Amino acid sequence: MMMVCRRNVFSYVLALLMVIAAGSGNQHVALACPYLSAMGAGAHRRLLEEVTQLEGSPSMENNAFMGQTLLADFLPDTSSKLPGLDWLAQASTYVGEDVCLISMQQLPPPKSTGYDYGASVEDLSFLIEWGDKSVKRFHDFTGPDKNGGSVFLSACTIGKKGAEAACKIGVEGTRYCDPSIAQTSTAWSQAIVGWRVNTTNLEQARQVLTGWRSEHSGHLTPMTWSMAGGDLASGGSVNRGWGNDGGLRSKLVRCSSIDPKFMYPTHSGAANLDKMCDYTAPGETTTFAQQLLAYWESLCSEYPPNGSCGTGSTPPPPAATPTPPPQEATPDPPTGSFPQCTEAGQTWWDRDFGPGERAYVVEPTQAPSWTALKTQCLPKAKSGGVLDPAVETMMQRSMFWQFGKLACRALPEQLGFSRASDKSLNAGTNLNRTTCEAYAAAAAGGSSCDYPGPPEGMELIAERGSAQDSWYGPLLQIPRVNNEEVGAPNFDATEKVTHSLLGGVSGTKACTYGNKFYYDGGVMGEVKRGTQLTYRTFQFKNDVARKQALMASTDTVNPGLKYAGSFSGSNGCDLEVVLELGLMNGGGLNVMGSIPLESMALERELAVRGSVKVCKTDTEIIVLAGVKELREAQNLVYNPECEIGDREIIRFSRNFICKATGQAVTADMVFHTQDGETMDISDDCSNPTPYLAGPNKKMKLHEAASFTMSLDAVRAPTSCGAMYWDPLLAPLDFAVPVNKIYTNHGGGGDETPAPTTTTTPTTTPTTTSSPTSAPTSPPKNAVKTTTATAKTSGVYTLNPFPVSVVMILGACWACFELLML
């Protein structure tokens, strides 16, 4: 999340006309909507129903399908995990001639306006201006001798309803009163793009997409307009929600069958190529876009196979079934070449991993201007399935996060076979469970293996997408270190993203198949941004691998790992995160951050962000949020009979480590509440310092608690070279029953219930203590959770019913959401 949809979270319908040309952006990996890559036929049907409900949308007859991004997994209902461009190239090889994809991105106005293009003159003017600019800019990529001929078509229309509003208001004078535009068959704005991709021009096509979204000279301005809707100061539209209920309609045909009129059109007769949207050629009475729409609707798509108007003679290339290996290749960290996998995923999983051990699947995802690194942790159950939840880690730009994932989806998606997952208290399997055990277990996905999604009628946040595909968080971002905006796009070109085997771990090995890497032993991820930030994640197969990696840690092998704290993650998917931060000229360090929590629904996101509170110990800052708000942010029912109060969601060290000497120094921290700055942070976690100063205070979209941490030159001299810092994170698991605490660290088994205790942090936390008394007697079965667990022997024990750790370090959350993708 992430991303996107994730996390992070953006809608599958993005900014303005021509977004399909960019592959449509997203928060969690990059584009249109990454959740599409994992959803099944049922979810695809629901999406189809959502985006075709608008009367006047292009017809889905003749085997049209809802297309996905061209830079991420392309097909939602197959096991193929190829990015769209690669899929097209392989399809051309498979068929024996080039196949072409023609797609239309629909952009209706926000639902909140009643889909009224005339609700804001400013928005309509921007739409027209950037529709013209975008189609012209993408048209410049078009030609048989440009970019290997990979782009053959670029067109757009404002649609009948848009034209009617523009004519009535007088935007662009009488341009949109022209009958040739008024007779357009579609009611809504459309961006239309044609791709012709083969193995020869594949990389040139990828370069087109990569460059399109990275600069304001491409498409960054209109993307910002859409994604920051409602936030004029950040370049957003007046009304938020442009593109909801839009959709991306596609057809796949043999290029040789396409009417030559629509192959590499030059529009040589156009009087003004800067006004190409709804362009009408000399001597014609209908626009080029309208002719193209009619032609597109008449085409019979050769994919999906066995469609309504053809035999499906252009099937997708054979699905790539991951086949992890027995090879013992051990390239030196942090880089290396990996052999091809030679065995089936099921063989690898069954033979090389015991109960409690974790396998890792790494998937680098190429975005328009940067690379995201996605890692799935698959914790093995005694039954041979995956413990619930599995955990997904994402590293992207200056951002890192983890998602709890339903285990029932893990093996089919990552290893290509199915097997029942283990849920110790799966819903409906134990009639003797207490009410609160059932309450917790209800979050295990159920028989349909689905996330709940938001209730009907709630206003959705476009950036979060239209379907839930994980438990949100945790999310950590460092957009600024000292005076360097490390999250900004200008660092994309020099960014380095790597993954590697852990140093010093015996028997570790990895292999590659398709665009994924399969790790046995553990994995290190690393992202370098600018001169001020390097952040690393360390994950381990079992405790033996952890201990070996720690013993081997130096400033060049597993860098910084020896200073990392440990956080017991779900089912042993523990994660060590170490940040290496640069110093200011003359010494000193300044890190700015914010603490935004996410939900798909606006009112729930505002509520959970507004529930944030902080407290401190001698060595740590602890962040809490309301258990009611956290659970409802995940679209789960809240029951006060089972838990009340606040929940720890993250803790991070107040100490930074001098890289040269290993000496720890304590940083100053300022907490930015809604009413202003304060250094007076509560040291009583039963009475933490709130972000909101009162119950009647209101939140607004993108608002979040923030803070600053700083060291002067005495504590952080230039002789240190850099400072290490270790935030402590854990993924969300809403299916853990409230009367258990899981402390499994792998190696010896599945879930290990610890004693049923909760902890009240004080200035110096203890291992266990009685729950803090509530203002009134808590209901039967309730667990008072205004608590944080103490650190014991380097291991954090999760509270009962742990929630997501969701933290983002960054001075400007709104800016981050606009710029990270």
Side-chain angles (χ1 to χ4, degrees):
M1 4 108 229
M2 217 17 128
M3 57 132 16
V4 122
C5 295
R6 182 243 341 207
R7 294 358 150 351
N8 24 161
V9 132
F10 294 165
S11 170
Y12 63 88
V13 179
L14 261 189
L16 183 60
L17 299 173
M18 304 309 302
V19 173
I20 174 55
S24 304
N26 161 274
Q27 179 178 5
H28 290 305
V29 279
L31 308 163
C33 194
Y35 78 85
L36 288 174
S37 65
M39 71 183 183
H44 193 206
R45 284 193 300 272
R46 289 193 295 274
L47 171 63
L48 189 58
E49 292 167 0
E50 291 173 10
V51 301
T52 57
Q53 64 184 344
L54 290 179
E55 184 178 354
S57 300
S59 170
M60 291 297 293
E61 294 181 357
N62 287 333
N63 215 26
F65 62 98
M66 299 308 296
Q68 273 59 255
T69 170
L70 295 182
L71 290 181
D73 297 344
F74 184 58
L75 302 177
D77 293 325
T78 74
S79 58
S80 174
K81 295 298 179 182
L82 289 172
L85 288 175
D86 300 80
W87 188 91
L88 288 174
Q90 290 198 21
S92 294
T93 301
Y94 182 86
V95 173
E97 64 176 281
D98 287 355
V99 295
C100 285
L101 182 76
I102 306 178
S103 297
M104 294 186 295
Q105 179 84 45
Q106 181 160 285
L107 191 84
K111 185 177 182 179
S112 60
T113 69
Y115 301 109
D116 181 6
Y117 281 94
S120 165
V121 176
E122 292 87 349
D123 281 353
L124 182 58
S125 298
F126 186 98
L127 178 73
I128 292 172
E129 176 189 357
W130 280 93
D132 285 330
K133 286 182 178 180
S134 296
V135 73
K136 171 59 168 60
R137 290 177 179 182
F138 215 77
H139 175 71
D140 290 342
F141 295 131
T142 302
D145 299 322
K146 296 180 180 179
N147 306 297
S150 55
V151 180
F152 71 85
L153 183 61
S154 172
C156 79
T157 178
I158 193 174
K160 182 179 294 185
K161 290 185 178 292
E164 289 173 351
C167 177
K168 180 178 180 181
I169 296 172
V171 180
E172 297 261 335
T174 61
R175 173 185 175 187
Y176 285 99
C177 300
D178 189 317
S180 65
I181 301 176
Q183 65 181 341
T184 297
S185 61
T186 178
W188 314 106
S189 304
Q190 307 288 334
I192 312 172
V193 174
W195 291 94
R196 179 178 191 160
V197 183
N198 51 46
T199 55
T200 301
N201 65 16
L202 173 60
E203 293 309 314
Q204 290 166 291
R206 207 186 313 274
Q207 289 174 13
V208 170
L209 293 187
T210 299
W212 178 245
R213 288 170 46 84
S214 60
E215 301 292 341
H216 286 285
S217 59
H219 207 57
L220 185 58
T221 297
M223 290 194 308
T224 302
W225 177 81
S226 177
M227 292 185 287
D231 186 357
L232 296 177
S234 298
S237 57
V238 174
N239 292 312
R240 181 165 50 84
W242 279 90
N244 286 351
D245 305 317
L248 182 61
R249 294 158 174 80
S250 301
K251 288 187 178 180
L252 187 73
V253 297
R254 298 169 191 260
C255 300
S256 60
S257 68
I258 295 177
D259 187 329
K261 180 175 185 174
F262 301 111
M263 292 294 293
Y264 308 110
T266 62
H267 304 300
S268 57
N272 184 0
L273 285 178
D274 291 327
K275 300 289 185 181
M276 286 184 62
C277 201
D278 286 303
Y279 153 74
T280 301
E284 296 187 344
T285 58
T286 56
T287 66
F288 178 80
Q290 171 55 29
Q291 295 175 50
L292 179 56
L293 280 165
Y295 178 71
W296 183 88
E297 290 187 334
S298 72
L299 287 174
C300 178
S301 177
E302 294 199 60
Y303 179 84
N306 303 315
S308 60
C309 62
T311 60
S313 57
T314 308
T321 302
T323 56
Q327 289 96 333
E328 298 291 331
T330 54
D332 294 330
T335 58
S337 298
F338 297 99
Q340 287 291 309
C341 303
T342 60
E343 292 184 327
Q346 182 171 346
T347 301
W348 181 68
W349 172 256
D350 288 343
R351 184 193 62 213
D352 293 347
F353 296 90
E357 294 187 325
R358 282 81 62 190
Y360 296 95
V361 182
V362 176
E363 184 177 3
T365 304
Q366 183 65 49
S369 60
W370 41 263
T371 300
L373 199 64
K374 181 170 63 175
T375 303
Q376 284 264 356
C377 173
L378 305 178
K380 192 169 186 177
K382 291 177 180 178
S383 66
V386 174
L387 288 169
D388 194 286
V391 177
E392 180 177 286
T393 300
M394 181 79 79
M395 302 173 73
Q396 181 177 307
R397 267 188 173 156
S398 63
M399 174 182 58
F400 155 82
W401 68 89
Q402 278 192 302
F403 302 107
K405 307 286 284 189
L406 292 174
C408 45
R409 300 186 179 190
L411 287 180
E413 292 177 4
Q414 300 303 324
L415 298 182
F417 70 98
S418 297
R419 187 173 290 164
S421 59
D422 277 23
K423 300 165 186 174
S424 60
L425 292 172
N426 195 7
T429 60
N430 184 348
L431 299 179
N432 295 319
R433 291 176 305 164
T434 68
T435 298
C436 290
E437 286 175 336
Y439 161 79
S447 59
S448 63
C449 195
D450 284 333
Y451 299 94
E456 291 186 7
M458 283 195 169
E459 181 181 357
L460 301 185
I461 301 174
E463 302 97 294
R464 307 289 178 257
S466 59
Q468 184 176 356
D469 69 344
S470 71
W471 306 121
Y472 295 114
L475 183 57
L476 167 65
Q477 193 219 10
I478 310 289
R480 183 183 300 172
V481 179
N482 301 322
N483 294 319
E484 193 167 281
E485 299 284 350
V486 292
N490 55 296
F491 289 106
D492 290 346
T494 58
E495 176 188 58
K496 294 184 178 179
V497 180
T498 60
H499 57 97
S500 64
L501 295 163
L502 296 169
V505 177
S506 60
T508 184
K509 52 185 177 290
C511 68
T512 182
Y513 190 91
N515 62 338
K516 294 183 179 181
F517 297 80
Y518 299 83
Y519 278 83
D520 180 355
V523 59
M524 181 181 83
E526 181 178 86
V527 174
K528 294 184 178 181
R529 298 280 300 182
T531 63
Q532 300 292 297
L533 173 66
T534 299
Y535 67 103
R536 303 180 181 94
T537 59
F538 300 89
Q539 295 173 278
F540 313 96
K541 177 179 182 178
N542 51 35
D543 281 344
V544 173
R546 179 198 302 274
K547 292 174 182 178
Q548 290 177 339
L550 281 168
M551 292 180 62
S553 177
T554 66
D555 286 337
T556 57
V557 177
N558 307 332
L561 178 58
K562 59 185 175 181
Y563 301 118
S566 297
F567 203 116
S568 178
S570 295
N571 296 321
C573 288
D574 310 340
L575 186 77
E576 317 287 7
V577 184
V578 180
L579 284 73
E580 185 174 325
L581 306 169
L583 300 172
M584 293 185 283
N585 292 332
L589 172 66
N590 185 282
V591 178
M592 301 184 71
S594 67
I595 311 167
L597 307 181
E598 291 186 343
S599 184
M600 294 180 67
L602 177 61
E603 67 178 74
R604 290 183 165 183
E605 178 164 301
L606 298 183
V608 73
R609 290 190 180 195
S611 74
V612 169
K613 307 172 183 70
V614 298
C615 59
K616 66 182 180 182
T617 71
D618 291 339
T619 59
E620 293 176 320
I621 299 295
I622 300 172
V623 184
L624 305 102
V627 293
K628 175 182 185 295
E629 291 82 2
L630 283 165
R631 189 174 176 94
E632 290 182 344
Q634 311 300 318
N635 303 312
L636 291 166
V637 175
Y638 170 68
N639 183 354
E641 292 291 319
C642 296
E643 54 181 354
I644 55 177
D646 297 311
R647 172 73 65 186
E648 175 185 340
I649 56 174
I650 192 169
R651 66 171 67 204
F652 54 92
S653 177
R654 298 173 63 185
N655 294 333
F656 290 74
I657 307 296
C658 174
K659 181 177 180 179
T661 66
Q663 180 180 358
V665 291
T666 301
D668 299 320
M669 175 174 169
V670 174
F671 183 47
H672 303 273
T673 71
Q674 196 178 55
D675 283 355
E677 298 181 356
T678 180
M679 295 186 70
D680 186 18
I681 299 171
S682 173
D683 57 8
D684 178 6
C685 287
S686 66
N687 185 30
T689 302
Y691 172 65
L692 288 181
N696 296 322
K697 295 289 185 177
K698 302 298 183 182
M699 298 285 291
K700 60 183 179 180
L701 184 64
H702 301 310
E703 179 185 353
S706 61
F707 64 88
T708 303
M709 297 185 73
S710 59
L711 295 168
D712 57 26
V714 175
R715 287 173 288 175
T718 56
S719 59
C720 283
M723 305 297 289
Y724 288 125
W725 187 47
D726 64 322
L728 304 173
L729 311 171
L732 174 69
D733 179 5
F734 272 112
V736 175
V738 295
N739 66 341
K740 287 189 178 182
I741 305 174
Y742 289 143
T743 58
N744 174 48
H745 257 278
D750 294 350
E751 307 134 345
T752 305
T756 305
T757 57
T758 55
T759 304
T760 302
T762 58
T763 302
T764 305
T766 56
T767 304
T768 58
S769 68
S770 300
T772 304
S773 298
T776 58
S777 298
K780 182 181 179 180
N781 293 329
V783 176
K784 172 65 177 177
T785 54
T786 311
T787 63
T789 348
K791 185 174 183 178
T792 309
S793 303
V795 176
Y796 279 86
T797 302
L798 291 181
N799 278 320
F801 201 71
V803 296
S804 173
V805 178
V806 187
M807 171 186 173
I808 295 186
L809 295 175
C812 178
W813 170 238
C815 299
F816 152 65
E817 289 190 310
L818 301 179
L819 296 176
M820 70 173 182
L821 295 176

